[in-house]
Each structure stands twice: as structure tokens, then as C-alpha cells.
Amino acid sequence: MYKILTKKSLTPTVIQMEIEAPLVANKARPGQFIILRVDEDGERIPLTVAGTDQKRGAVKIIFQIVGSTTKKLDMKKFRCGKHRNFFAYSSWGPRLM
């Protein structure tokens, strides 16, 4: 599972998140895709990598709320402090060579 590091509404239906995924952050480049599932039974959705921060091990994604899965993803809340929500059950990114 992956932690939400930041969450920001760019518009009412466009959301930017940074997720903690150090292995992906070290290999991914903007424009590549990650595929994630919001929960164990969720569908796999591709999301474009909008940026990475290798020092923090973070991958930035931007998505538009258009269906049930992106709505579920948006409903994951970010809280500062030691209790951050987990958001993705699983994730696949660029090949980790």
C-alpha cells in the first residue's frame, strides 16, 4: 500500500496527489504511466506521471474525476501528521531495472 504525501484540488474535478513510491520515483519520468488499484477489488487504472521527487521517493499524479474509481481515489483523505491514509492497494510503474 502507498501513502498519500500531498493532495491538492486544482479544480473541483482535477486532483493532484503525491504518493510515496521510492522504487517508481527512481525510474519514472514525466509522461510515463503508473497503473494502480484503489482497493483490493478495484479496477486497474493508468495514470500519467506528472513528476517525481527522488529524494522524497514521491511520484506526482494528476487525475480528473470521471468515473467511480477516480471518485474513490479522490475520496481518500490526506491528513498531516503520523496518520496518513493509504490510497493504493497495488501499483505498477516503469520497469525497475
Side-chain angles (χ1 to χ4, degrees):
M1 296 203 184
Y2 300 88
K3 293 180 188 176
I4 298 171
L5 300 176
T6 64
K7 179 180 177 184
K8 178 180 177 182
S9 293
L10 302 178
T11 71
T13 60
V14 177
I15 310 300
Q16 173 183 296
M17 285 185 177
E18 283 186 299
I19 58 171
E20 186 177 66
L23 295 175
V24 176
N26 286 332
K27 293 287 184 177
R29 299 293 174 255
Q32 293 180 324
F33 289 86
I34 62 169
I35 297 176
L36 65 84
R37 291 190 298 169
V38 178
D39 53 37
E40 186 175 2
D41 298 320
E43 68 177 325
R44 293 172 39 167
I45 60 170
L47 295 171
T48 304
V49 174
T52 60
D53 183 334
Q54 293 180 358
K55 287 183 182 180
R56 291 175 48 227
V59 176
K60 184 188 299 183
I61 57 173
I62 298 174
F63 62 93
Q64 184 173 10
I65 303 166
V66 292
S68 61
T69 300
T70 50
K71 184 165 181 71
K72 248 191 230 186
L73 181 56
D74 177 53
M75 293 179 72
K76 298 292 184 176
K77 302 205 184 308
F78 165 74
R79 294 181 300 231
C80 292
K82 65 180 183 178
H83 299 293
R84 293 189 178 113
N85 283 356
F86 293 103
F87 96 100
Y89 177 74
S90 60
S91 167
W92 297 267
R95 291 187 181 181
L96 303 174
M97 294 184 195

